[in-house]
Amino acid sequence: MKELRIQTEHHQYPVYIGSKLRFDVGSMLNKQYDRVLIITDKNVEPLYLQEVLQSFPSSSQVSSFTVPASESSKHIDVFYQCHTYAMENGLNRQSLIVALGGGVIGDLAGFVAATYMRGIDYIQVPTTLLAHDSSVGGKVAINHHIGKNMIGCFHQPQAVIYDTDTLSTLSNQEWRSGMAEVVKHAFLADEVLLERCFTLPAFPSMERDVLEYLLMRGIEIKANIVAQDEREAGIRRYLNLGHTLGHALEAEAKYVLSHGEAVAIGIDFALFLSQQHHPSLTFPIERYRKWLQQHQYPTSILHDYEITNLVERMKSDKKNDQHDIRMVTLNEVGDPTTVAYKVNEIKEQLLVYKKEVSRV
Amino acid sequence: MKELRIQTEHHQYPVYIGSKLRFDVGSMLNKQYDRVLIITDKNVEPLYLQEVLQSFPSSSQVSSFTVPASESSKHIDVFYQCHTYAMENGLNRQSLIVALGGGVIGDLAGFVAATYMRGIDYIQVPTTLLAHDSSVGGKVAINHHIGKNMIGCFHQPQAVIYDTDTLSTLSNQEWRSGMAEVVKHAFLADEVLLERCFTLPAFPSMERDVLEYLLMRGIEIKANIVAQDEREAGIRRYLNLGHTLGHALEAEAKYVLSHGEAVAIGIDFALFLSQQHHPSLTFPIERYRKWLQQHQYPTSILHDYEITNLVERMKSDKKNDQHDIRMVTLNEVGDPTTVAYKVNEIKEQLLVYKKEVSRV
């Protein structure tokens, strides 16, 4: 088992990464909780719920609530149902919520914990590769019909407990989704990690020690940035690399496209913009595009949507100041920056980019 | 104009109290906001909205959203509508929300600000006496059908701007409601303030300087307690004096009884319990009960409800640990404490109390 400590402004918590940890969730916590509510989804429930449930000592009264396994669970009605269930099961301010699942469950259960009786403890037990990103940093939220993650807050977990075995049941699309965020962290901070990503075989067949390495480094890079800027006032914005276009694509594709697949395309566009600013530098764009093809990222999907609609969605991104669209780009690998674009500039750049990738 | 600084763990903000301040809200802030959303209610809108709106410089784009003037506005649907309206009006992370109204508006608008794009600035512009209590301390929430204020968090305002003129339009019931919290603060910390309360004429006819004094001292006492315990882990519980029975009564009376009227009865019960623990001390119970009668608090309402139902509601109070009901009582005026009661004990005490007050 590997262990990391995450330091935020007013709080510190451990991340454990290893095999079979789901059997020890309850006993790994340094507090006893009289009442525990596990929030999970319909896919994860039959696989791991019983094991996590039984990991708690018999002195804890543990209940569980299962929601649909899709982005639609980040709906305000589901959020309210979770609260109802928590109250009906007698959760109080000294109780614990466990987020057992991927990013959707982490965001939903974390926001329930953040707002239940004005905030109670919760832990993350991620079951996807993508959740290595969302389970660290304390950002929790539900969706609004106008935009993703628009209703939420910051609420740090008490611990993140990552059982690597649970990743064996992921689909190819989920592997792609998670690897996009690993690659993002590599582009932001670590050329060695990037090289390791580029030389991977088919994702599901990667060795356990490689997987643990990718998770550790991904989480470390994210945690370092979050530690310096918990509330996204400054450099935390860099974590948004690939996300401005990514979120717009994801919303246009009505969540058919996975989060990471959309971000992977967004990163490609960010690299394209970076090259406009630094034509003399060599970014590994070609290698990145080959890697996207090799692992069957749906790169051609950009052609299915109107640039105008995408730009409209990019305008409403939470990270924008006032009227410009703020994009994260790279000066080089490991050296991110942000650039503000006028709406029309982004539109033009997207048109040029679309032409360029259609030639590939 | 009087000014107070409120110090919380990670944040400091001013409280301004004085006449005609509603005309200066926009210019009193030490930040410029491009976009501002004023959330108010149907009663306050025709009286003060335009004046507050026009207090902002023309460089700010100010919109407003009006909700029904009742506790029912702390409903999750209204909360969601506020978010929709904020998005449609282009509010971003650098925008401001203004809570213009009483406690309902402060709680609702504050919780919208706390969760809009994971938290933006807001200010309180209270228009009731009761809001002297709720506008300070950063507690924001909406109701769940199972209990009041069950969904919420802590989010400190940037400023509280109290225009004492706006209190001239309050009903007698609203005066009673607000004065109950002033008296609560007096019982917790200030015998002189308590004496001043006991000698007041009819509330609406009190002089301006008396009103400013009551507001200042009430806010100061609350702020001192909150400064020591922002997240309600310890002594902030004392502010709950009168609220355990108060909330239960309020819920049983389906919000017909005002918050403070219910709390006033709850304080009487807390004094009764305090006397059980300290039979040798003289609490001013008789003076307090006369004061309640003099100002027409609906003290007989306790007889309309079943003790069993009230106790059921008291059990679900957020402040309880595990299985006991935790009550705030007094060792003497200015020296609060908490006592945990078994459910059956509280039931018995309530029955004895009911008999005692029916004899008065």
Side-chain angles (χ1 to χ4, degrees):
Chain A
M1 184 182 79
K2 290 188 167 66
E3 183 177 342
L4 264 175
R5 304 295 303 184
I6 307 285
Q7 183 64 52
T8 65
E9 210 181 334
H10 313 295
H11 184 64
Q12 203 206 48
Y13 61 92
V15 178
Y16 304 108
I17 301 172
S19 179
K20 302 209 188 316
L21 297 189
R22 66 191 181 281
F23 296 100
D24 301 317
V25 169
S27 53
M28 289 174 88
L29 306 174
N30 53 12
K31 239 200 236 179
Q32 285 271 357
Y33 294 92
D34 256 33
R35 286 172 201 250
V36 178
L37 170 62
I38 303 173
I39 296 178
T40 189
D41 72 33
K42 287 213 165 72
N43 288 350
V44 175
E45 187 206 285
L47 297 170
Y48 309 119
L49 175 61
Q50 281 312 311
E51 294 160 354
V52 174
L53 228 148
Q54 282 158 20
S55 76
F56 283 88
S58 57
S59 58
S60 296
Q61 193 176 315
V62 189
S63 52
S64 70
F65 189 69
T66 303
V67 303
S70 76
E71 184 77 26
S72 65
S73 284
K74 284 173 66 176
H75 189 282
I76 195 145
D77 291 348
V78 180
F79 167 77
Y80 193 83
Q81 284 159 20
C82 290
H83 272 278
T84 306
Y85 193 81
M87 286 171 216
E88 286 173 351
N89 280 273
L91 265 75
N92 57 41
R93 286 187 172 172
Q94 285 73 42
S95 303
L96 176 75
I97 287 179
V98 179
L100 172 63
V104 166
I105 292 298
D107 282 0
L108 170 69
F111 190 46
V112 172
T115 54
Y116 186 73
M117 295 185 173
R118 295 203 184 85
I120 65 171
D121 285 356
Y122 80 113
I123 60 167
Q124 298 268 13
V125 184
T127 60
T128 67
L129 177 58
L130 180 64
H132 91 274
D133 178 52
S134 57
S135 64
V136 171
K139 284 170 83 169
V140 295
I142 54 174
N143 297 329
H144 185 279
H145 65 266
I146 296 180
K148 276 192 70 165
N149 296 325
M150 291 297 269
I151 306 180
C153 55
F154 290 88
H155 190 53
Q156 305 293 340
Q158 295 299 305
V160 179
I161 300 176
Y162 226 121
D163 183 340
T164 48
D165 300 336
T166 63
L167 305 192
S168 64
T169 44
L170 293 183
S171 69
N172 284 330
Q173 191 185 36
E174 286 170 308
W175 277 106
R176 277 195 295 274
S177 192
M179 278 304 301
E181 294 283 0
V182 176
V183 160
K184 181 194 79 178
H185 291 131
F187 270 117
L188 289 176
D190 187 348
E191 231 165 333
V192 177
L193 176 62
L194 188 63
E195 189 57 35
R196 195 71 199 80
C197 290
F198 281 165
T199 54
L200 281 178
F203 299 149
S205 63
M206 75 173 77
E207 313 239 326
R208 180 184 309 282
D209 61 335
V210 176
L211 175 57
E212 288 194 5
Y213 163 74
L214 296 180
L215 282 172
M216 277 291 287
R217 279 302 291 147
I219 290 176
E220 257 173 345
I221 291 167
K222 169 143 190 189
N224 280 341
I225 293 179
V226 171
Q228 294 169 66
D229 177 23
E230 189 172 340
R231 299 226 153 216
E232 210 163 17
I235 65 162
R236 188 166 179 165
R237 290 166 186 265
Y238 296 152
L239 294 172
N240 211 36
L241 178 69
H243 281 64
T244 311
L245 176 57
H247 278 155
L249 267 174
E250 206 181 343
E252 279 293 289
K254 297 263 180 278
Y255 311 122
V256 167
L257 203 60
S258 79
H259 173 72
E261 287 173 328
V263 167
I265 298 167
I267 292 173
D268 193 40
F269 180 54
L271 292 176
F272 166 83
L273 292 178
S274 305
Q275 213 171 36
Q276 310 282 312
H277 282 272
H278 302 285
S280 62
L281 288 177
T282 16
F283 291 94
I285 297 196
E286 294 313 316
R287 280 192 83 192
Y288 179 62
R289 286 192 187 151
K290 272 191 193 137
W291 182 83
L292 291 178
Q293 283 178 351
Q294 180 197 341
H295 295 287
Q296 284 139 9
Y297 282 85
T299 46
S300 63
I301 204 163
L302 191 62
H303 300 285
D304 299 349
Y305 301 101
E306 289 292 332
I307 296 294
T308 316
N309 297 348
L310 290 172
V311 172
E312 269 310 302
R313 291 196 184 265
M314 290 166 82
K315 267 166 65 182
S316 68
D317 191 279
K318 286 192 292 296
K319 277 92 180 175
N320 294 328
D321 304 313
Q322 322 298 351
H323 315 295
D324 295 336
I325 296 178
R326 190 183 276 261
M327 301 291 294
V328 181
T329 60
L330 300 176
N331 294 319
E332 57 185 307
V333 174
D335 182 12
T337 186
T338 61
V339 182
Y341 286 86
K342 299 276 164 224
V343 172
N344 276 341
E345 287 174 331
I346 276 292
K347 210 176 271 181
E348 281 164 30
Q349 294 286 4
L350 263 174
L351 285 167
V352 179
Y353 170 71
K354 200 169 165 178
K355 270 188 204 151
E356 181 172 310
V357 289
S358 68
R359 278 199 304 272
V360 174
Chain B
M1 185 182 78
K2 290 189 167 63
E3 182 177 342
L4 264 175
R5 305 293 304 183
I6 308 285
Q7 183 64 52
T8 65
E9 209 181 334
H10 313 296
H11 183 64
Q12 203 206 47
Y13 61 91
V15 177
Y16 304 108
I17 301 171
S19 178
K20 301 209 190 315
L21 297 188
R22 66 190 181 280
F23 297 100
D24 300 317
V25 169
S27 53
M28 288 173 89
L29 306 175
N30 53 12
K31 242 200 236 178
Q32 285 271 357
Y33 294 92
D34 256 34
R35 285 172 202 251
V36 178
L37 171 61
I38 303 173
I39 296 178
T40 189
D41 72 34
K42 286 212 164 74
N43 287 350
V44 175
E45 186 205 285
L47 297 169
Y48 309 119
L49 175 62
Q50 279 313 310
E51 294 160 354
V52 174
L53 228 149
Q54 281 159 20
S55 77
F56 284 87
S58 58
S59 58
S60 298
Q61 193 176 314
V62 189
S63 52
S64 70
F65 189 69
T66 303
V67 303
S70 77
E71 185 76 26
S72 65
S73 284
K74 285 173 66 176
H75 189 284
I76 194 143
D77 291 348
V78 180
F79 167 76
Y80 193 83
Q81 284 160 21
C82 291
H83 272 276
T84 306
Y85 193 82
M87 287 171 216
E88 286 173 352
N89 280 273
L91 265 76
N92 58 40
R93 287 188 172 172
Q94 286 73 44
S95 302
L96 176 75
I97 287 179
V98 179
L100 173 63
V104 166
I105 292 298
D107 282 359
L108 169 70
F111 190 46
V112 171
T115 54
Y116 187 73
M117 295 184 173
R118 294 203 185 83
I120 65 171
D121 285 356
Y122 80 113
I123 60 167
Q124 299 268 13
V125 184
T127 59
T128 67
L129 177 58
L130 180 63
H132 92 272
D133 178 52
S134 56
S135 64
V136 171
K139 283 171 84 170
V140 295
I142 55 173
N143 297 329
H144 186 280
H145 64 268
I146 297 180
K148 277 192 70 165
N149 296 325
M150 291 296 269
I151 307 179
C153 55
F154 291 88
H155 191 54
Q156 305 294 339
Q158 295 299 305
V160 178
I161 300 176
Y162 227 121
D163 183 339
T164 48
D165 300 336
T166 62
L167 305 192
S168 65
T169 44
L170 294 182
S171 69
N172 283 331
Q173 192 186 36
E174 287 170 309
W175 277 106
R176 278 197 293 275
S177 192
M179 276 306 300
E181 295 283 359
V182 176
V183 159
K184 181 193 80 177
H185 291 132
F187 270 117
L188 290 175
D190 187 347
E191 232 165 334
V192 177
L193 176 62
L194 188 62
E195 189 58 36
R196 195 72 199 80
C197 289
F198 281 165
T199 54
L200 281 178
F203 299 148
S205 62
M206 73 173 79
E207 315 240 324
R208 180 184 310 281
D209 61 337
V210 176
L211 175 59
E212 289 194 4
Y213 162 74
L214 297 179
L215 281 172
M216 276 291 286
R217 278 303 291 148
I219 290 175
E220 255 172 347
I221 291 168
K222 170 144 192 188
N224 279 340
I225 294 179
V226 171
Q228 294 170 63
D229 177 24
E230 190 172 340
R231 297 224 156 219
E232 209 163 19
I235 64 162
R236 188 165 177 166
R237 288 166 185 264
Y238 296 150
L239 294 172
N240 211 36
L241 178 68
H243 281 62
T244 311
L245 176 58
H247 279 155
L249 267 174
E250 205 181 344
E252 279 294 290
K254 297 263 181 278
Y255 312 122
V256 167
L257 204 61
S258 79
H259 174 73
E261 287 172 329
V263 167
I265 298 167
I267 292 173
D268 193 39
F269 180 55
L271 292 176
F272 166 82
L273 291 178
S274 305
Q275 214 171 32
Q276 309 283 311
H277 281 274
H278 302 285
S280 62
L281 287 177
T282 17
F283 291 93
I285 296 196
E286 293 315 314
R287 281 192 84 192
Y288 180 61
R289 286 192 187 152
K290 272 188 193 138
W291 182 83
L292 290 178
Q293 283 178 351
Q294 180 197 342
H295 295 288
Q296 285 139 13
Y297 281 85
T299 46
S300 64
I301 203 164
L302 191 61
H303 300 286
D304 299 349
Y305 300 101
E306 288 293 331
I307 296 295
T308 315
N309 297 348
L310 289 172
V311 172
E312 269 310 302
R313 292 198 185 264
M314 289 167 83
K315 267 167 65 183
S316 68
D317 192 279
K318 284 193 293 297
K319 276 94 178 173
N320 294 327
D321 303 315
Q322 321 299 351
H323 316 294
D324 295 336
I325 296 178
R326 191 183 276 260
M327 300 290 296
V328 182
T329 59
L330 300 177
N331 294 320
E332 57 186 306
V333 173
D335 182 11
T337 186
T338 61
V339 182
Y341 286 86
K342 299 278 164 223
V343 171
N344 276 340
E345 287 173 331
I346 276 293
K347 210 175 271 180
E348 281 164 31
Q349 294 286 2
L350 264 174
L351 284 167
V352 179
Y353 169 72
K354 201 168 164 178
K355 270 188 202 147
E356 181 172 313
V357 289
S358 69
R359 279 198 304 271
V360 174

